[in-house]
Structures are given as C-alpha cells and as structure tokens.
Amino acid sequence: MADAGDPMLPDNGNPASESPAVEVYAVYGVEPEVQAYAMAKYSRSSLSMKESLKEISQQKAEKFLNTFYFQYGHRSIADLAHLALAIERLSILAAIAVADEQRWDGQERSTRYQDFRQSGYFTPDFGEDGEAGRLYRDAMKQLFADYEGLSEKVFGYLRDITPKPGEMKQEGYERTLRARAFDVTRYLLPLATNTSLGEIVNARTLEGQVSHLLAHTHKEVRNLGELLKRAATSPAYNAGLDGLRDLVAKIGELSPELGARAEQELLREVKVAPTLVKYADPNAYERESRRELGQAASELMRDAKVSTAPAVDLLDSDGLEIELATTLLYEHCHYRYRQLREAVESLGEKLRREIIDLGLRHRGKHDEMLRGFCAGQEFRFDILMDVGGFRDMHRHRRCIQIGQGFTTAHGYDTPGEIDASGLRANYDAALKRAEGVATTLAGRSGVEAEENSQYALPLAFRKRTLFKMDFAQVVYIAELRTTPAGHASYRNVAYAMYEAVAKKYPALAKYFRVADVREPIDLLKR
C-alpha cells in the first residue's frame, strides 16, 4: 500500500491511472479574433478556454495579435480565426480565381440547378474604347439569348426521348430533365456570367487569398481582393439583427437603463478580422515572377505551334529540376507539359537552374514558394477540358493544380446531346461568334485588352491544367467523378485518368470502384 508520499498518487489522492475527467464543449458567440486569441493562450497560459474568454476583450485580442502575429511572426495564430464570407454578383472568371486556394472551403451557384438566364453579366472597364464596349455588350446579349433558346430546345429533346415513369410526379420529372438540359446549355454561358459564392476560411488563408487577388492579372479580381479585405475589417452582417432590435426595444420600454445596456451589448458592431487582414497587400512575389516566367516561356518556345495531345495525359517521371523548371513555365503559356518538358530538357543544366532561380528571385521574407514548386508527386496529369468541366474538377484541392489561362487556342467541346438533337449548327454558330468577338477585343489597344476579351469566352472552350496527386486522390477522383449522376465532361476525364493508371499499373486497376462511362445512363436518376 502506498503512503501519502508515494509519487504514484496525485495530490487529490486518486491513483495516477484515474486522470481527471476530460471536458469537451463547443464555443459560440465569440468574435473570430477573440476566439483565436483564446485558443492561442493554450500554449502560453494555463487558463481554460472559459477562463480565457472571460478575461479577453477585442482590444486585448488586437494588442496580442499585433505583437505575436505581426511582430513575432507567429502566423499559425490566424489559423484559429474562421470567417464566413459571401461574395455576390462576381463573374464566373473571378469566381474561379477566388476558389483557386487549396485551403478554401466554399460553394458556388450551380449551372445545373439554377437557370442563369436572369443572372446578368460582368462588363470589364473598356475605358474610352466605346466601340469595344458596344461589341462586348451585343455579344453578351446574343450569348444569353442563345443559352435561353438552346435550353428550351434541349429540354424538349430530352423530354421526347425520356418518358415519364407513372410513379414520378410531373414537377420532379420536369425539374430533373431541366437540370440535364442545363448541363448541356451551360457550354454557352460566357465567363462574364454573374454568379455568387460563399466561403469559410481561416484568417491566415484569407490574408494570403487577398494578397493573391490583389496581384491578379484582371482588374475585377483585384477589386475583389480589396472588397474581401474591407469585408473582413468592416462591420459584419448580423443575421439576427432585426430580432435583437425588437428585443432591445421591448427591454427599453420596461427599463430605459437596461435598454441602453442591452443595446450596447446586443447591437454592437462586430468586425470578423479587424487586425489579421488589415495589412494584406498585393503579392509582389507572384506579380514579378509571373512577368519574368511568362517572358522566359515565350523566349523558350518562340511561338512554336501547340502540339496535339490527348485530353488526359498521365506523365512520366522527371528529374526534380526538370519538373520544377517545366512546371514553373507551364502556367504562363498554352503548351502541353510534354512539349514544354522537351524544350526544357534541351536547355542544359545551367539554363534550367536559371528558370528555377526566376521562380525564387522575388520571394519575400514571409512568402510561401510558388505553387509550381509543389513537386514530386507520383501521379501527374496534363488535362485539357472545357472550362465548365474544369470548374467541377477545380474543387479537388487535395491535389496540386497548376492552371493555364483562358484561350481559344484549344477549340471547344461539344456535348453529345447537341448532335443527337440536331442543334449542332446553332451551337457552332454561337461559339464561332463568341470566338470572333473575343479575338477582336484582344486586338484592341485598351489597357488589359487581352484580359477583358476572356470574359466573352463561353464555358465550352478548353483550358489546360496540370493536376498532381498521390494514389489515394486518383482513386477518389475517379470513383466520385465517374458516377452516372455526374456531368459527362468530368465523367470522361475521370474515367480517362483511371484508364491511364490502369494501363501503367495493371495490378492497381482492381482497387478502383469506377462506373463505366460507356454504359447508358438513366437521365431521371441524379
């Protein structure tokens, strides 16, 4: 029997194996930065969360964050402050830029479940070029008219070939077929189409996102960076404000003194990240690297013709320096990876290292390396697909994505229903008109003429993206994106990814649970 001085007995006299009961509780009603401060105190104080929150004010949090986050560089503190933001009436082009963040969580308006006829469109700043503005607006009106007309015709075609089951309600039947029709007609929606999205991010991710957007090539996206920064540092929208005002008014009727106190406590303005995002500036590292790497890619390829390639190309292994140099250039041109790699290989070791140096020359003290330096993954796919399908694949942020810009250089995709319904001539005419407008706008002399022209491109046009991942992510994408309820565009891409891996590693094919995209699908199953 142990005596009172036995080290195996804690102060409370209980055996050491009987540890104090674990306490777990959710926290609600705390500003994000105050919550971050309270959590950060776990490593700097013995206080519990409840004790910390009782003694912390917004002013104390701001003082703490200014010291430890900005002066001492303890960046992980901002991971603890999570913010919910709504971004409404931005273009699809800008939404792609906003969502291009690996640590991002959010949702965007769906081109399947919503009719975009009344959404409107974004008009870039054409300055004094009135002719360009008129050409652009006429093109937008025509594309939306084409979208509306095609939606009705495709819906009629799908209804004709898909009888309604007796047990299915007419409303559900039509809603399902319209969703399928929108899957087809979304190919005509221009990148200028207005959309909306919501995001939930931590403050460190938001700070990096804002800096990235502020350095973007497109003015709309740079403005969005400013708006996100302002939203985080300005009073937030309070969804319960009307009810709280009513409550404060009733309290004031009973007691003016209590009413004033209730107003101060319940109706005070809350800023979700007044400290952590206020110093976010344009990322000069990204901006300068983009300029120099773009110039290097142009000089290396010297206007070479883009070689033909499969839609999905599983790449061979490279030496690390070759992969880094090729990937750094890939984002700044429209060439396929294999074509770039061949040119990079021919340079020799010295020039390859100069390209890598370009990717690091402007890196500041707190800058993460460019995404192009995320290298060494076993499975790397060079994928060429329509922009609409890319938007779906873009959500897979567990893999590394190196995207090229929007262009007409790779042509456009045509869904099978267009030919089957006899609408190919109308479809081609709409896309050729849009391509002509984009080409004309790109040739204008205004500021950012090339960037502004991209808004006129419909989602049917193809875009090239390099996807890097491990085996588990290949399996995940192949299994999720080949399901019959999915869009034909990404179903085909995901199945081609599976086929490429199965060909290279036959013994691994049995571990994929994919749906064969060649099998007919039931249009009424979603």
Side-chain angles (χ1 to χ4, degrees), residues 69-234:
Y69 186 73
F70 294 111
Q71 293 182 27
Y72 297 165
H74 294 186
R75 315 293 285 180
S76 62
I77 294 173
D79 293 340
L80 305 173
H82 283 75
L83 325 170
L85 297 149
I87 309 172
E88 299 176 352
R89 294 182 301 280
L90 74 165
S91 72
I92 287 178
L93 184 151
I96 291 173
V98 170
D100 190 39
E101 164 57 56
Q102 286 181 272
R103 294 175 287 266
W104 185 84
D105 291 304
Q107 291 283 311
E108 184 185 346
R109 283 186 67 192
S110 170
T111 55
R112 167 177 285 187
Y113 299 113
Q114 297 195 45
D115 185 346
F116 276 72
R117 285 178 292 184
Q118 304 301 322
S119 66
Y121 58 88
F122 172 79
T123 301
D125 182 6
F126 291 103
E128 298 180 357
D129 193 346
E131 183 180 348
R134 286 189 294 272
L135 177 63
Y136 177 84
R137 286 187 287 272
D138 288 346
M140 291 299 104
K141 293 176 184 177
Q142 183 63 57
L143 271 174
F144 277 96
D146 293 334
Y147 169 77
E148 181 174 3
L150 194 67
S151 294
E152 290 303 317
K153 290 176 181 177
V154 172
F155 171 71
Y157 163 73
L158 296 177
R159 184 179 53 196
D160 291 342
I161 66 169
T162 313
K164 184 182 79 67
E167 69 279 7
M168 192 175 194
K169 292 183 179 180
Q170 183 69 25
E171 180 183 1
Y173 168 74
E174 292 192 4
R175 184 173 61 249
T176 302
L177 289 186
R178 285 205 179 275
R180 292 288 187 179
F182 289 148
D183 271 354
V184 176
T185 56
R186 80 176 190 184
Y187 284 79
L188 293 187
L189 286 173
L191 281 165
T193 304
N194 282 339
T195 185
S196 297
L197 56 81
E199 69 173 35
I200 298 176
V201 293
N202 66 53
R204 178 156 61 157
T205 296
L206 180 62
E207 184 186 32
Q209 182 186 44
V210 168
S211 294
H212 169 70
L213 297 178
L214 290 174
H216 201 270
T217 53
H218 291 66
K219 184 177 181 179
E220 179 201 9
V221 180
R222 296 195 297 273
N223 289 340
L224 274 174
E226 292 287 357
L227 292 173
L228 275 170
K229 183 176 178 179
R230 187 185 308 169
T233 56
S234 302

Side-chain angles (χ1 to χ4, degrees), residues 319-390:
L320 184 57
E321 289 190 2
I322 291 176
E323 180 184 351
L324 289 175
T326 305
T327 305
L328 286 169
L329 297 180
Y330 176 93
E331 183 178 1
H332 306 287
C333 63
H334 296 295
Y335 294 98
R336 59 181 298 202
Y337 184 92
R338 288 183 186 271
Q339 189 176 2
L340 265 179
R341 180 178 62 189
E342 183 178 338
V344 167
E345 284 179 322
S346 69
L347 287 176
E349 186 175 291
K350 182 177 181 294
L351 291 178
R352 283 198 297 269
R353 289 185 178 174
E354 287 183 7
I355 293 173
I356 297 172
D357 288 343
L358 287 180
L360 293 169
R361 177 179 297 171
H362 300 283
R363 186 184 179 205
K365 180 179 179 181
H366 298 295
D367 289 322
E368 294 184 12
M369 283 187 171
L370 298 174
R371 194 179 297 178
F373 284 97
C374 296
Q377 294 82 356
E378 176 67 23
F379 297 93
R380 298 174 302 136
F381 297 89
D382 190 3
I383 297 178
L384 181 63
M385 66 186 306
D386 64 280
V387 174
F390 162 76

Side-chain angles (χ1 to χ4, degrees), residues 286-302:
E286 289 186 18
R287 185 175 55 206
E288 294 304 311
S289 297
R290 178 173 61 234
R291 178 179 60 81
E292 294 187 356
L293 288 169
Q295 182 178 346
S298 178
E299 292 175 356
L300 175 64
M301 301 309 293
R302 298 186 182 278

